[in-house]
Amino acid sequence: MTLPPILSCWAVSAPGAEALTAAELQALGVVPGVREPGGVAFEASAEQLADALLWLRTAVRVTVRLGSFSARTFAELERHAKGIAWAAIIPKGGAVHFRVTSKKSKLYHEDGIAERLERAVLAAVPDVRAVRAPSAAEELEDDVTKLPPVMRIVVRVHRDEVTLSADAAGGLLHRRGWRRDVAKAPMRETLAATLLLASGWTPEEPLLDPLCGSGTIIIEAALMARRMAPGRARRFAAEVWPGLPTGIWKEARQRAASRELPVAAVALLGTDRDAGAIESSQRNAERAGVADDVEFVRATLSQLPHDDGTGWVVTNPPYGARLGERNALRDLYASLGQMIVDRRPGWHLAMIGADRMLEGHLGIPLREVLRTTNGGLPVHVVVTA
């Protein structure tokens, strides 16, 4: 059983990043459709789906619509479920997990919905097994450099309308496959990409992260500067979908490899006062394939050298809700601002912020360019005004 030549897809984005995700799709030659809070709809061929999974930097997940129908009883649900092309998504001998949410519907029992859908799959695909949470989540979020062992189906029931979508990625897309060493309070790779793309920084300009932690911002910047696909080091659930041509994945990776530049053309520097953070950053850069394009140095803000040129300071400083009381962070923000004013006077600043009081201690005029969340906490991207 095969999937249709044009797939109805949905790129899940962090709140506020939908426009960036739409622009990324457009750069891939995919015309983005409806843009709503939380994501962007788009139609794609199998080849375009493979490209999207490899290249989207700001998307959290990509799903493919399997079907949509009305159901007010379990009998209706089971009847419609029999018409879904399960064998095109779930391989023989594979496993499936249904992630169900139901709101304002007659079918409100989420476990019951999952059970009926599991029956339909078991009848359609030989030797398949159904996996229930929480063990399913553990298997799905395992090592993303390997093919995921469980196919996730996202089920949304709202006002008796049932929508079934297959998760084409498997593990969340922020998991690039290279970040295994993390510092305290790490930021997700997708948030780092959102910060970089929203800031106005371009890969032709030097970049400094003076609070680099595990190196996420610098490594994401290096991938952009080298034109390297963020998903190059990982595998995707859709690679084992029986309904897609198997050759598209090799071809997509070959296309991606042909676009890569041999070196980054700019200086990309990460510093941190913690020696363990620097060691983690270096190991992560090696796994990402950009160790020769970045530099990580143990240094405090007061130790950074003077630079009369131009460039960008892009960083994710701690804020009170994350690493301690905000009063203890005033000196850090003041030192960061003073470093930029005194030693990088021609440089722009872009950062994730969550506390305008702390941002005021920078002593630098700022403007907001994007609002989003980090670990459920409202944050925003601010840049030099």
Side-chain angles (χ1 to χ4, degrees):
M1 185 176 290
T2 60
L3 291 167
I6 300 298
L7 305 169
S8 295
C9 307
W10 178 256
V12 181
S13 301
E18 298 87 358
L20 297 176
T21 303
E24 288 190 89
L25 287 167
Q26 203 154 13
L28 292 172
V30 177
V31 179
V34 176
R35 198 169 75 204
E36 297 179 359
V40 183
F42 66 100
E43 293 189 340
S45 65
E47 292 78 11
Q48 289 172 322
L49 173 63
D51 286 340
L53 289 169
L54 277 171
W55 281 102
L56 288 177
R57 299 183 190 277
T58 59
V60 177
R61 193 188 304 280
V62 173
T63 62
V64 173
R65 178 75 59 86
L66 300 179
S68 183
F69 51 82
S70 297
R72 304 183 69 183
T73 67
F74 283 124
E76 286 182 294
L77 176 66
E78 290 191 75
R79 177 168 56 83
H80 287 294
K82 291 178 181 178
I84 300 298
W86 300 115
I89 297 295
I90 305 164
K92 295 178 182 179
V96 62
H97 167 66
F98 289 95
R99 196 187 74 177
V100 182
T101 58
S102 180
K103 296 180 180 179
K104 300 179 181 180
S105 297
K106 296 288 185 182
L107 296 176
Y108 60 87
H109 195 288
E110 294 175 352
D111 285 343
I113 294 168
E115 181 182 350
R116 267 57 172 200
L117 294 173
E118 288 167 4
R119 289 181 191 173
V121 172
L122 295 173
V125 185
D127 303 322
V128 72
R129 64 187 177 93
V131 180
R132 295 284 181 94
S135 60
E138 294 170 1
E139 288 189 67
L140 284 164
E141 303 302 327
D142 201 359
D143 186 355
V144 295
T145 63
K146 301 176 182 178
L147 290 170
V150 180
M151 298 298 106
R152 179 195 280 118
I153 308 297
V154 181
V155 184
R156 182 175 183 266
V157 186
H158 182 68
R159 297 189 186 277
D160 303 326
E161 284 293 318
V162 181
T163 303
L164 304 173
S165 301
D167 182 349
L172 292 170
L173 287 175
H174 80 269
R175 303 184 69 212
R176 315 292 205 211
W178 52 260
R179 193 177 73 168
R180 300 175 197 170
D181 290 273
V182 296
K184 194 173 183 180
M187 75 185 305
R188 288 188 171 187
E189 296 87 328
T190 44
L191 180 58
T194 296
L195 169 59
L196 288 163
L197 291 171
S199 69
W201 171 79
T202 66
E204 291 75 37
E205 300 171 284
L207 189 149
L208 163 69
D209 181 357
L211 306 164
C212 70
S214 53
T216 307
I217 292 173
I218 294 296
I219 294 171
E220 284 291 312
L223 293 172
M224 293 180 187
R226 290 276 307 276
R227 300 180 189 171
M228 297 167 77
R232 65 194 293 273
R234 59 163 291 167
R235 307 296 296 274
F236 305 100
E239 292 184 61
V240 296
W241 289 359
L244 293 179
T246 56
I248 64 172
W249 304 101
K250 181 179 179 181
E251 293 168 1
R253 288 189 167 91
Q254 288 175 339
R255 285 194 299 274
S258 70
R259 295 179 57 183
E260 293 181 7
L261 298 176
V263 294
V266 293
L268 303 169
L269 172 64
T271 65
D272 201 287
R273 65 185 300 170
D274 182 71
I278 296 302
E279 292 172 2
S280 295
S281 297
Q282 291 170 337
R283 288 192 293 266
N284 287 334
E286 289 169 5
R287 281 188 289 268
V290 296
D292 293 336
D293 304 288
V294 300
E295 183 180 8
F296 291 107
V297 177
R298 184 184 182 188
T300 63
L301 291 171
S302 62
Q303 292 172 326
L304 289 169
H306 192 279
D307 190 320
D308 284 325
T310 60
W312 284 80
V313 175
V314 181
T315 192
N316 178 38
Y319 23 89
R322 187 178 59 171
L323 292 180
E325 295 300 325
R326 66 182 188 174
N327 289 345
L329 297 173
R330 290 175 178 174
D331 289 346
L332 172 65
Y333 277 71
S335 296
L336 175 60
Q338 198 65 44
M339 182 274 292
I340 296 171
V341 171
D342 289 347
R343 273 164 284 152
R344 306 282 164 134
W347 287 50
H348 303 283
L349 169 66
M351 57 176 262
I352 299 291
D355 189 320
R356 295 189 186 278
M357 184 277 286
L358 287 175
E359 293 162 20
H361 286 277
L362 290 164
I364 297 173
L366 300 172
R367 63 183 176 89
E368 181 182 274
V369 294
L370 184 144
R371 292 185 183 183
T372 185
T373 61
N374 183 17
L377 180 71
V379 297
H380 59 184
V381 176
V382 291
V383 301
T384 308

